[in-house]
């Protein structure tokens, strides 16, 4: 088996990187979803951007394009293997001349999702935190807290369940006693009953 593994590795091909460039791609010429309508021809081949980029946040996109105008025959299946000519139709297809690797999610879309502590960084294709001082303070308290780069906030590493009468204090990352509840008492002897807050002992 060991010898077979060596033989398989020696026979394996070394892949060539697929660069981000225009490549011949099959494109549909149909302008209708009606299954009875048939376009002649149904498709053609034009250059479209295709290939790999260095990060999964990037995709191969057109940098320069050209518009091609095609004339196709539009027919309709009427049964008994017969097609009825509906006429000629103009189909506009985009041809890619130059390509580049760019952010999958565009800046105008991503900016809308940035919170008040974030700013869009085109070089990173994402919203990045601007409150770096808060991040440094959070790192100093690393034993209890962890920096959340999505929310740009310092959060407790572990949130533990607390017993009755206690709540989990996010600022201290520990259980703390519940604050005293406020109750209200009505005092009689007045036309309008006054309501005054009292603290439980």
């Amino acid at each position: 088996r060991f010898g077979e593994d060596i033989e398989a590795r020696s026979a394996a091909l070394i892949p060539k990187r697929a660069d981000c460039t225009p490549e011949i791609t099959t494109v549909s010429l149909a302008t209708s979803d009606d299954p009875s309508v048939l376009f002649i021809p149904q498709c053609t081949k034009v250059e479209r951007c295709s290939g790999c980029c260095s990060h999964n946040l990037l995709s191969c996109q057109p940098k320069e394009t050209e518009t091609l105008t095609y004339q196709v025959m539009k027919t309709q299946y009427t049964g008994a293997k017969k097609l009825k000519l509906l006429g000629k139709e103009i189909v506009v297809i985009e041809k890619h001349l130059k390509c580049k690797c760019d952010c999958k999610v565009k800046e105008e879309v991503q900016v809308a999702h940035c919170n008040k502590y974030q700013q869009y960084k085109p070089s990173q294709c994402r919203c990045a935190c601007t409150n770096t001082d808060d991040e440094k303070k959070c790192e100093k308290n690393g034993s209890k807290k962890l920096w959340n780069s999505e929310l740009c906030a310092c959060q407790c590493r572990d949130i533990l369940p607390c017993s009755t009468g206690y709540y989990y204090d996010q600022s201290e990352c520990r259980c703390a006693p519940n604050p005293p509840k406020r109750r209200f008492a009505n005092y009689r002897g007045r036309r309008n009953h006054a309501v005054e807050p009292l603290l439980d002992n």
Side-chain angles (χ1 to χ4, degrees):
R1 180 176 295 179
F2 180 72
E4 293 177 357
D5 291 341
I6 295 178
E7 184 178 351
R9 285 197 295 269
S10 63
L13 300 175
I14 304 299
K16 181 181 179 181
R17 173 184 167 85
D19 293 326
C20 178
T21 57
E23 295 182 2
I24 297 296
T25 305
T26 301
V27 178
S28 173
L29 294 172
T31 59
S32 173
D33 295 329
D34 188 341
S36 67
V37 175
L38 178 66
F39 293 87
I40 303 174
Q42 292 180 302
C43 61
T44 189
K45 291 185 177 182
V46 297
E47 287 84 356
R48 288 288 177 88
C49 290
S50 180
C52 301
C53 293
S54 59
H55 197 279
N56 59 5
L57 292 177
L58 303 174
S59 64
C60 186
Q61 302 174 29
K63 183 179 180 181
E64 186 177 330
T65 63
E66 177 185 357
T67 299
L68 302 178
T69 303
Y70 292 98
Q71 179 178 276
V72 297
M73 302 294 292
K74 185 177 182 181
T75 64
Q76 188 169 32
Y77 179 71
T78 58
K81 299 182 180 181
K82 293 183 179 180
L83 291 176
K84 177 184 177 182
L85 179 62
L86 299 180
K88 297 178 181 180
E89 190 160 319
I90 298 298
V91 180
V92 177
I93 298 295
E94 187 179 77
K95 176 183 178 180
H96 298 171
L97 303 177
K98 293 182 180 180
C99 307
K100 65 175 181 178
C101 287
D102 203 356
C103 299
K104 289 181 180 179
V105 181
K106 297 303 180 183
E107 180 174 356
E108 56 271 17
V109 177
Q110 190 71 278
V111 166
H113 295 86
C114 295
N115 64 36
K116 62 180 180 180
Y117 300 114
Q118 293 176 328
Q119 184 177 5
Y120 183 77
K121 299 289 185 181
S123 60
Q124 301 177 22
C125 297
R126 67 181 183 91
C127 298
C129 300
T130 57
N131 53 338
T132 53
D133 290 340
D134 293 338
E135 183 177 0
K136 291 177 181 178
K137 291 178 183 178
C138 187
E139 291 174 352
K140 291 181 180 179
N141 199 9
S143 60
K144 291 183 178 181
K145 295 191 174 184
L146 186 68
W147 182 254
N148 187 326
S149 59
E150 296 294 328
L151 301 176
C152 298
C154 194
Q155 298 179 328
C156 297
R157 285 183 176 273
D158 301 305
I159 299 179
L160 305 175
C162 299
S163 58
T164 304
Y166 287 79
Y167 75 101
Y168 196 80
D169 188 342
Q170 293 283 353
S171 61
E172 298 294 333
C173 297
R174 63 182 179 86
C175 292
N178 290 330
K181 295 181 180 179
R182 301 173 70 88
R183 64 183 177 86
F184 296 88
N186 291 332
Y187 288 87
R188 298 178 180 177
R190 301 179 185 177
R191 179 174 299 177
N192 296 323
H193 298 299
V195 179
E196 296 183 7
L198 297 176
L199 288 177
D200 286 334
N201 294 327

